[in-house]
Amino acid sequence: MPPLLTVSDLTTTFPSDGRRVPVVDHVSFTIERGEVFALVGESGCGKSMSALSLLRLVPKPGRIDAGSIVLEGRDVLALSVNEMRAVRGFDIAMIFQEPMTSLNPVVPCGAQVVEAIRLHEKVTKAAARERTVALFKRVGIPDPEQRFDAYPHQLSGGLKQRVMIAMALSTHPKLLIADEPTTALDVTIQAQILELLRDLRRDLGMTIILITHDLGVVSELADRVAVMYAGRIVETGRTRDVIDAPLHPYTRGLVRSIPARAPRGVRLHEIAGVVPPPTEWPDGCRFANRCPAVLAYCAERVPPVETRERDHQVWCHAVTAGLLP
Amino acid sequence: MLAYVLRRLLYGVVTVLGVLLFLFILFFSVASPDNMARRAVGEKASPKVIENWKKEHGYDRPLWPWQDPKSNLLFDHFRKALTFEFGKSDADSAPIVERLKAGAGPSLTLTVPLFVLGVLIGVPLSLFVAFFRNTYIDRMGLVLCVVAMSVSILLYIVGAQFLIGKLLKWFPISGFDRSIAVIARFVAMPIVVGLAAELGAEIRLYRTVFVEETSRDYVRTARAKGCGEARVMGRHVLRNALIPVLTNVVIQIPFLFTGALLLESFFGIPGLGSVTVDAIQGNDFSTLRTMVYIGALLFVVAQILTDVSYALVDPRVRLE
């Protein structure tokens, strides 16, 4: 069976000073049915833009410049505006980082889910309502009947995110994109939402793209992971392989800065510097100016792919040259 | 809700009392009855003529209660205003109420269509330019709006009277007739001029509101669940943008009754705006006082209406 989603050389650019700067640069990955695939990286590395590109919702003046997105044999980038509208929410659903502001404040929560259902399926309002209440129950919203008529401001952040998840699940999408679904929530609520995603995945066999900067979340939830840095994927593979035996210096830095894995009483590792803005990205390896293992030619030449066992891939000159174990 | 409205009304009453006191200071203390009399009968009139004028118009008593606790102008002023006993015109002794009744009709035939058309044209047009935000349509619209709102209404009036009235002869240059059959001929041009003068600023304001809403997260959610652009604008953006738009609209309603000063006086429409202008020019102090008082009263009503309408359209607003 072919993979559910194949993304090849996806390039999304924004204009800056008369030229187009890629914020997503030749990103490729495939997603199999039923798996949880994590996209990891610091803020500003292009994770969210990659996700919005999949739905063709890149905010203007950004646009997808190159590459292909194939969902079950259909080229998503070749679809008409109307065909794309039918894909959004029906084939690919998305939940966002900010549950506080992602729901329409003047429409009751239930009506927003009903709208999502009725945009894609010809069902009566009553039937859609019944389904919505059942979904609310499924995602763990207490008193679903009452919550149906509640306005977003009457719910807590965690409940709002559950409404968002219910909305995303309402049409049984083939792929769920969860963009930092827990980042804006309290720690205890974070755990509950992650638990919910895990349950949904187990019970419904959901295919999920999980976007996060939290490697702890990745190791709990994801089957495979791609580490992004400055618009490019620098390392990808099975979660166990990438987290237990990271190859790229950037991934090593990230793994060493997971609090749960650090010995007590030792200062947590941090990667020096910040992700430079897209206009200042080096031509070669984008991590060159922060890399502890940088070589003379790293900043000039784009690193080739190095494939290890079980499809563990890494793009790093030092690894290819055998300078890093 | 009821408690809130009652409390707002109470604040309104306090505001109105303040306005009345302010009016009294302006009309009786700053400009004393002697000043008024001299303005009315002439600077060089003899003291006897001035005394007579004051007596005739009821200004011959002391101003303040500490001068005469029983019969003074301050108490009179408050009592008459609060019981809506407006009295007689200082200019021709006609009852002011009659003048208000006569002026209300012509004013409303001008201001109500102007208001309704302003909303019906302004909101869809601004939604239209917001839909095409950051394209040349939007930019051209903005330039037009800025030009339209920068031109003085006087130029619109004179220009329209010259072009439409004198050269093209489509409509009479000015004048008014109460009969239903021809009334439209007389108010058409002032309405067009009024629209030209107000639409630019209104479209610009509404467009800003709409564009701001389109960048909100819930709009992205709506798109992500498969809403088309028209549905995003018509259902999600409009409903949220309606809140600031509605307040801007509701606050205009009470002022429909005060008429349009410039339009009425230039087009010869005998409305309340003209009543005010005539009162200023004819040293008709009592009528002018009444018009200022009614304006303040309507303003207070408008504020309360705005607050209540806010609560009606925005579920997040809780009235305590």
Side-chain angles (χ1 to χ4, degrees):
Chain A
M1 213 165 168
L4 176 69
L5 181 78
T6 308
V7 176
S8 327
D9 290 323
L10 179 67
T11 302
T12 299
T13 63
F14 277 79
S16 169
D17 288 334
R19 63 199 184 98
R20 295 202 71 90
V21 178
V23 293
V24 176
D25 194 3
H26 293 88
V27 163
S28 305
F29 54 85
T30 57
I31 292 172
E32 304 291 342
R33 283 178 179 75
E35 76 170 338
V36 175
F37 179 80
L39 270 177
V40 196
E42 284 168 272
S43 312
C45 72
K47 303 167 293 194
S48 293
M49 277 306 148
S50 306
L52 288 172
S53 299
L54 297 185
L55 283 171
R56 281 172 52 189
L57 281 177
V58 178
K60 283 174 186 171
R63 65 157 193 254
I64 300 169
D65 264 3
S68 74
I69 301 167
V70 178
L71 178 76
E72 293 191 309
R74 280 206 295 170
D75 183 357
V76 170
L77 295 182
L79 298 178
S80 72
V81 171
N82 280 333
E83 289 168 330
M84 193 61 224
R85 201 186 299 161
V87 168
R88 290 185 196 129
F90 188 68
D91 294 314
I92 308 176
M94 187 159 177
I95 56 180
F96 297 97
Q97 183 173 354
E98 307 86 5
M100 305 299 166
T101 52
S102 290
L103 290 167
N104 189 333
V106 300
V107 178
C109 294
Q112 302 194 39
V113 180
V114 166
E115 184 189 21
I117 296 173
R118 282 165 52 93
L119 275 168
H120 298 288
E121 293 173 45
K122 285 203 167 75
V123 292
T124 63
K125 270 190 181 161
R129 182 188 170 109
E130 213 168 284
R131 247 167 81 180
T132 302
V133 171
L135 277 164
F136 277 9
K137 199 179 276 173
R138 178 68 194 83
V139 298
I141 296 175
D143 301 327
E145 287 280 355
Q146 282 82 50
R147 292 302 201 288
F148 184 93
D149 295 311
Y151 285 98
H153 72 274
Q154 294 166 321
L155 303 184
S156 66
L159 281 184
K160 270 184 243 185
Q161 195 60 293
R162 285 175 199 266
V163 171
M164 286 295 292
I165 294 173
M167 190 192 294
L169 296 178
S170 62
T171 50
H172 312 295
K174 299 177 177 109
L175 175 64
L176 174 69
I177 304 174
D179 185 2
E180 306 254 9
T182 59
T183 305
L185 303 172
D186 292 344
V187 180
T188 48
I189 310 295
Q190 282 185 13
Q192 293 172 13
I193 296 289
L194 289 177
E195 191 63 42
L196 172 63
L197 287 176
R198 201 186 348 247
D199 287 354
L200 292 171
R201 183 264 176 104
R202 187 191 61 221
D203 300 347
L204 308 174
M206 291 286 304
T207 310
I208 301 175
I209 296 183
L210 179 70
I211 296 171
T212 179
H213 62 267
D214 187 342
L215 277 179
V217 172
V218 172
S219 64
E220 277 184 54
L221 222 58
D223 303 303
R224 287 193 309 127
V225 56
V227 181
M228 278 189 87
Y229 183 82
R232 287 190 193 144
I233 291 179
V234 296
E235 182 165 1
T236 176
R238 303 207 327 204
T239 306
R240 282 283 128 257
D241 293 338
V242 172
I243 289 188
D244 291 343
L247 293 171
H248 198 282
Y250 178 61
T251 320
R252 290 168 196 250
L254 283 184
V255 170
R256 281 176 65 197
S257 56
I258 305 175
R261 295 171 79 93
R264 279 180 90 78
V266 177
R267 196 185 150 88
L268 269 182
H269 176 78
E270 57 189 284
I271 304 171
V274 291
V275 187
T279 47
E280 289 163 26
W281 286 346
D283 295 328
C285 175
R286 298 257 160 94
F287 192 55
N289 60 349
R290 293 172 76 189
C291 182
V294 63
L295 304 175
Y297 51 87
C298 278
E300 276 87 51
R301 280 189 242 156
V302 177
V305 63
E306 166 89 4
T307 306
R308 298 283 171 89
E309 56 210 358
R310 293 186 296 275
D311 267 341
H312 188 172
Q313 295 179 310
V314 62
W315 287 258
C316 173
H317 287 300
V319 172
T320 308
L323 295 171
L324 284 171
Chain B
M1 182 77 172
L2 188 70
Y4 175 80
V5 174
L6 283 177
R7 211 180 60 210
R8 285 296 277 122
L9 277 174
L10 204 70
Y11 287 147
V13 169
V14 174
T15 312
V16 167
L17 289 178
V19 166
L20 281 176
L21 184 64
F22 191 64
L23 263 183
F24 184 80
I25 292 170
L26 272 183
F27 275 86
F28 291 90
S29 183
V30 175
S32 70
D34 282 322
N35 292 350
M36 287 194 264
R38 253 181 240 116
R39 286 292 298 273
V41 296
E43 287 293 334
K44 291 179 181 139
S46 66
K48 186 145 172 45
V49 176
I50 287 178
E51 279 311 311
N52 269 344
W53 186 89
K54 277 164 67 179
K55 198 165 189 171
E56 258 172 51
H57 295 91
Y59 295 125
D60 57 340
R61 282 167 296 151
L63 293 185
W64 305 101
W66 51 85
Q67 291 166 319
D68 183 349
K70 281 204 184 106
S71 164
N72 58 69
L73 291 176
L74 179 73
F75 284 180
D76 259 26
H77 170 70
F78 272 89
R79 183 180 52 75
K80 283 183 181 163
L82 294 177
T83 54
F84 299 104
E85 183 197 323
F86 297 130
K88 289 176 179 168
S89 156
D90 282 349
D92 56 8
S93 299
I96 294 175
V97 176
E98 293 306 316
R99 197 162 284 178
L100 295 181
K101 278 184 194 157
S107 269
L108 290 176
T109 51
L110 174 61
T111 53
V112 169
L114 190 55
F115 166 75
V116 173
L117 287 174
V119 175
L120 288 185
I121 297 173
V123 171
L125 268 185
S126 46
L127 204 57
F128 178 80
V129 286
F131 188 86
F132 290 101
R133 62 197 167 276
N134 299 327
T135 66
Y136 70 98
I137 294 176
D138 177 36
R139 269 176 228 126
M140 263 172 39
L142 265 187
V143 169
L144 271 177
C145 284
V146 172
V147 170
M149 65 191 272
S150 306
V151 175
S152 159
I153 188 168
L154 295 173
L155 188 70
Y156 285 117
I157 293 172
V158 176
Q161 284 181 328
F162 182 74
L163 194 72
I164 303 175
K166 188 157 188 282
L167 291 185
L168 299 171
K169 295 190 180 4
W170 288 350
F171 298 112
I173 292 177
S174 80
F176 194 72
D177 192 313
R178 276 171 206 279
S179 64
I180 303 295
V182 292
I183 202 164
R185 285 181 54 75
F186 288 103
V187 292
M189 196 155 62
I191 287 173
V192 170
V193 166
L195 282 177
E198 75 172 34
L199 271 180
E202 241 160 61
I203 292 175
R204 241 174 63 98
L205 172 73
Y206 297 159
R207 176 200 168 274
T208 311
V209 172
F210 286 131
V211 168
E212 205 178 291
E213 283 301 321
T214 53
S215 62
R216 301 245 190 252
D217 286 341
Y218 71 81
V219 173
R220 188 183 57 190
T221 307
R223 292 201 182 107
K225 70 183 176 187
C227 285
E229 264 321 280
R231 193 181 170 88
V232 167
M233 290 304 273
R235 267 186 66 91
H236 292 274
V237 170
L238 185 63
R239 271 170 90 168
N240 280 277
L242 217 55
I243 298 162
V245 169
L246 190 81
T247 30
N248 184 58
V249 168
V250 169
I251 202 150
Q252 295 176 25
I253 291 173
F255 299 103
L256 302 179
F257 295 96
T258 52
L261 288 182
L262 285 170
L263 285 177
E264 285 180 14
S265 56
F266 271 86
F267 285 100
I269 295 169
L272 293 177
S274 293
V275 169
T276 311
V277 172
D278 290 348
I280 294 170
Q281 284 166 350
N283 295 321
D284 189 348
F285 309 102
S286 54
T287 306
L288 190 56
R289 266 196 323 263
T290 307
M291 295 311 291
V292 175
Y293 172 56
I294 290 176
L297 216 55
L298 290 172
F299 188 78
V300 169
V301 172
Q303 299 260 295
I304 297 173
L305 277 181
T306 308
D307 285 353
V308 173
S309 64
Y310 238 122
L312 290 179
V313 288
D314 189 344
R316 284 164 296 183
V317 173
R318 280 284 148 270
L319 304 177
E320 268 112 43

